[in-house]
Amino acid sequence: MGKNIKDLFNATAYDKNGEKLGDVNEVFVDDQSGQPTFVEVNHGLFGMSSSLVPLRGHDFSGDDLKLGFSKDRIKDAPDFDSDKPLTPEAQSDIFKHYGLDNARDVTDYKDSNLDSKRDVQAGADKDHNLTAGAGAAGAGVAGAHADEKKADTHTTDAAATERKAGVADDAAAARTNNDGELIRSEEQLNVNKERVATGEARLRKYVVTDTESVEVPVEREEVRVERTPINAEDAKNYNGAISGDSEEASVTLHEERVNVNKETVPVEKINLKKDTVRDTETHTEELRKEQIDTDGVDGLKK
């Protein structure tokens, strides 16, 4: 079953590997065939960037638009001004960037004539609450038709500019429906945390040499001469004769000596433990949001 061009405005774009890019911002349609040729796709942080991507080799299933190119190639696509018609020269640069020799389309779109294309561009915004500027101007003939259009580039570009201005006006008017409802959008911060290694702590032993002095009390024996007179009573117990031989008496002396040795003993156990410390970091980003201005209505809150 064929798709309608207006279905592209509700699609979410993915690259060829299935990585999400963002919303479809605008659709560029071939003037002669009425088939969509390019889509402007939002990508990057908060969808702040956009690129023009050919619909060659794409697959459109449900609300998922799978493009035929990688995210890196799409992000590096040539810059373009969406407020101006897409010239054949600009188309050539974009085709060259994407290298489309082997790419092919797999989806056929019902709105294949120019008048139907214009109706879709104006009506898609009205039916689906698209932002102003979605539903782009018709692009010039792409690829093989580029040479034919060079001769009347000025005429085609002027017509495309006029059509795009009309579509933008219709889109802006269509954002307010019959119930007086208007959709206001704003950017919001999505914050997440990741755990990363910041350092490493290790225990290491090394040997130092200290000098330690210990006082140890020791004892030793010394000789002193002690003389005691012998009284008459004690003299009876000794031979008082003088001997011609010499006599000697001796005594053995003792002292204490200190023996010192060393031994290694365990004295302490050391462990590494981690504590969790909670801090608060402040990150500031600029966020855009839409405000509502009113004409002829008092007291409406923004």
Side-chain angles (χ1 to χ4, degrees):
M1 181 176 179
K3 290 280 189 179
N4 289 318
I5 297 176
K6 64 184 179 181
D7 293 333
L8 288 169
F9 297 125
N10 291 329
T12 300
Y14 297 83
D15 76 346
K16 68 176 184 179
N17 300 315
E19 188 172 355
K20 183 177 179 180
L21 295 168
D23 297 329
V24 174
N25 191 31
E26 293 193 40
V27 178
F28 291 77
V29 181
D30 190 301
D31 281 341
Q32 293 189 0
S33 69
Q35 290 293 310
T37 306
F38 300 95
V39 289
E40 181 189 359
V41 176
N42 293 330
H43 58 77
L45 185 62
F46 305 123
M48 297 294 291
S49 301
S50 65
S51 295
L52 202 60
V53 186
L55 283 174
R56 300 285 183 88
H58 75 286
D59 186 10
F60 191 10
S61 177
D63 290 333
D64 295 341
L65 174 62
K66 187 174 182 180
L67 299 169
F69 311 97
S70 67
K71 185 175 182 179
D72 289 340
R73 177 166 289 193
I74 293 172
K75 290 169 59 179
D76 294 337
D79 294 333
F80 75 101
D81 188 350
S82 61
D83 293 330
K84 297 180 180 180
L86 190 61
T87 64
E89 291 78 9
Q91 294 180 54
S92 178
D93 291 341
I94 295 173
F95 285 141
K96 183 177 180 181
H97 171 77
Y98 285 99
L100 293 171
D101 293 342
N102 297 322
R104 62 185 182 87
D105 291 332
V106 297
T107 304
D108 185 28
Y109 293 86
K110 292 181 179 179
D111 304 289
S112 58
N113 61 74
L114 188 57
D115 293 335
S116 177
K117 178 203 67 173
R118 291 172 180 168
D119 294 339
V120 169
Q121 289 174 325
D125 289 333
K126 183 175 181 181
D127 294 341
H128 298 279
N129 292 327
L130 295 176
T131 59
V141 177
H145 302 293
D147 293 336
E148 299 176 9
K149 289 193 64 61
K150 286 182 181 179
D152 59 342
T153 297
H154 297 293
T155 303
T156 302
D157 289 350
T161 302
E162 182 178 355
R163 287 198 304 275
K164 186 170 183 178
V167 169
D169 292 340
D170 291 343
R175 295 187 66 187
T176 302
N177 62 23
N178 294 332
D179 297 328
E181 182 182 90
L182 189 65
I183 303 300
R184 188 181 70 84
S185 301
E186 67 181 23
E187 296 175 340
Q188 295 181 348
L189 285 179
N190 294 323
V191 180
N192 55 48
K193 298 185 294 184
E194 61 176 333
R195 190 178 183 89
V196 297
T198 57
E200 182 181 22
R202 292 182 292 177
L203 286 177
R204 179 184 299 159
K205 293 195 302 183
Y206 58 95
V207 178
V208 297
T209 302
D210 292 333
T211 300
E212 185 173 331
S213 298
V214 179
E215 293 185 357
V216 181
V218 294
E219 294 181 352
R220 70 175 183 275
E221 295 176 339
E222 294 182 349
V223 176
R224 72 174 185 274
V225 177
E226 188 176 287
R227 298 176 185 271
T228 305
I230 299 177
N231 56 31
E233 187 66 28
D234 292 334
K236 295 178 180 179
N237 298 322
Y238 295 98
N239 183 6
I242 296 175
S243 173
D245 296 329
S246 60
E247 294 182 5
E248 294 180 356
S250 64
V251 63
T252 300
L253 302 176
H254 298 83
E255 68 177 13
E256 294 178 335
R257 293 184 178 178
V258 178
N259 295 320
V260 178
N261 59 16
K262 297 183 292 183
E263 63 175 331
T264 301
V265 295
V267 295
E268 189 177 18
K269 182 168 68 174
I270 301 173
N271 295 322
L272 281 178
K273 290 188 176 180
K274 297 189 297 183
D275 293 328
T276 300
V277 179
R278 297 188 181 276
D279 292 332
T280 299
E281 294 185 1
T282 301
H283 296 265
T284 303
E285 295 286 345
E286 291 185 354
L287 300 179
R288 300 185 306 165
K289 64 179 179 180
E290 297 175 338
Q291 297 286 3
I292 306 298
D293 288 334
T294 62
D295 291 326
V297 179
D298 296 331
L300 180 62
K301 294 183 179 179
K302 293 184 178 183

